[in-house]
Amino acid sequence: MHKLLKEVVKVYTQFQRLGPTYLDTFDNRALTEATFEAVKTKQLQEYIKKEFKPIGDISMLPIHLEPEHRFTIAMFALRPGVRMPLHDHPNMFVLSHVMNGLGERESWDVDPIDHHQQIEFRKTKGDSRIVKALQHPKLQLKEGDNCYTTPNKCNLHKFSNNHESELFMFLDVILPHYNGVDRVINFYEPFSENQLELMGNPKTYQRHPIDVDDIREFIVQ
């Protein structure tokens, strides 16, 4: 886990220096390797086994929460047949590593001509609005697979659990994290071909975090 945190800090430091465009272009191989090694550690596996108890359709277990919304590492789990709502990660990078089960990722990008719609919506939280968007090919995911979200590629995504009986579980490395100011989550629904409806928090979205004492201090050796 120390190696993973070290790599995340490196990327975050460059992001601070160079801005969000860096997250579209940096070589993510070292971060990916560190993530793969982290999920195999005995201590992390034991921590998850002890602390994680699925509640509801979508559950989340914090692994590392960095102060000031710099970055977050967390595990998510979807019950069989559950679809996560389509959402965005404004000016953020996300590495998703599948830990268990079979799933599918759908991803989109909003047309640059409608980026102002996203910015205005985050500020006003007014009525829903329609934006132009490009859908990417769907990804079929299994244990050990990775997929990526960057500021300008696959920035909108959702995951689905395709298995009939097993949980679909994945570890997310998110940097920087949502901050409630300029990095605010938006939700979307398909409206027509190459169009999405931008909306507030959908009523069907329920996320169930697990309370863990001193989570900020949790670092697997």
Side-chain angles (χ1 to χ4, degrees):
M1 191 71 178
H2 282 301
K3 181 178 179 180
L4 175 56
L5 292 175
K6 182 178 179 181
E7 291 298 330
V8 174
V9 169
K10 284 182 181 179
V11 177
Y12 182 80
T13 300
Q14 291 295 91
F15 157 75
Q16 284 187 303
R17 189 171 71 89
L18 300 173
T21 55
Y22 172 74
L23 300 176
D24 284 309
T25 59
F26 81 98
D27 187 343
N28 60 44
R29 286 178 294 181
L31 183 61
T32 300
E33 180 182 350
T35 302
F36 181 80
E37 292 178 4
V39 299
K40 298 299 182 182
T41 60
K42 180 179 179 181
Q43 286 162 304
L44 180 55
Q45 292 178 351
E46 289 180 348
Y47 169 76
I48 293 172
K49 183 177 180 181
K50 176 184 176 183
E51 301 293 347
F52 179 67
K53 299 175 180 62
I55 303 173
D57 290 339
I58 303 174
S59 300
M60 186 269 282
L61 175 65
I63 304 299
H64 184 90
L65 305 180
E66 190 72 9
E68 300 178 357
H69 312 288
R70 287 182 289 183
F71 59 84
T72 292
I73 301 172
M75 189 191 76
F76 292 83
L78 279 63
R79 290 191 183 277
V82 169
R83 293 177 178 271
M84 182 180 284
L86 183 64
H87 60 282
D88 61 6
H89 289 269
N91 289 330
M92 298 158 65
F93 171 88
V94 184
L95 186 165
S96 300
H97 176 85
V98 180
M99 301 178 67
N100 185 79
L102 299 173
E104 180 179 84
R105 187 195 72 168
E106 297 180 44
S107 61
W108 299 69
D109 285 312
V110 172
D111 191 309
I113 67 171
D114 274 346
H115 282 177
H116 70 283
Q117 297 265 35
Q118 295 173 293
I119 296 171
E120 291 173 4
F121 186 81
R122 290 189 186 98
K123 291 179 179 179
T124 64
K125 286 297 181 184
D127 296 333
S128 64
R129 55 190 70 191
I130 306 303
V131 296
K132 295 182 180 180
L134 169 69
Q135 184 175 17
H136 296 280
K138 297 178 181 180
L139 292 182
Q140 303 303 316
L141 301 169
K142 63 183 184 304
E143 183 176 345
D145 286 347
N146 302 298
C147 58
Y148 305 88
T149 291
T150 77
N152 290 296
K153 187 169 184 181
C154 304
N155 189 258
L156 285 61
H157 68 191
K158 69 176 180 179
F159 292 91
S160 304
N161 186 346
N162 292 337
H163 203 278
E164 295 181 356
S165 58
E166 290 188 11
L167 289 172
F168 177 59
M169 301 167 62
F170 56 94
L171 186 79
D172 265 2
V173 178
I174 307 170
L175 67 107
H177 196 43
Y178 297 111
N179 62 5
V181 183
D182 59 330
R183 297 191 299 273
V184 179
I185 190 170
N186 284 332
F187 293 89
Y188 304 77
E189 287 283 353
F191 183 77
S192 64
E193 185 177 1
N194 297 325
Q195 288 187 317
L196 297 172
E197 182 180 6
L198 169 58
M199 63 185 67
N201 194 351
K203 295 179 180 179
T204 56
Y205 184 48
Q206 295 182 343
R207 188 180 57 184
H208 299 270
I210 309 300
D211 293 327
V212 180
D213 292 336
D214 300 322
I215 188 64
R216 292 185 187 277
E217 304 302 322
F218 175 74
I219 298 177
V220 177
Q221 302 297 323

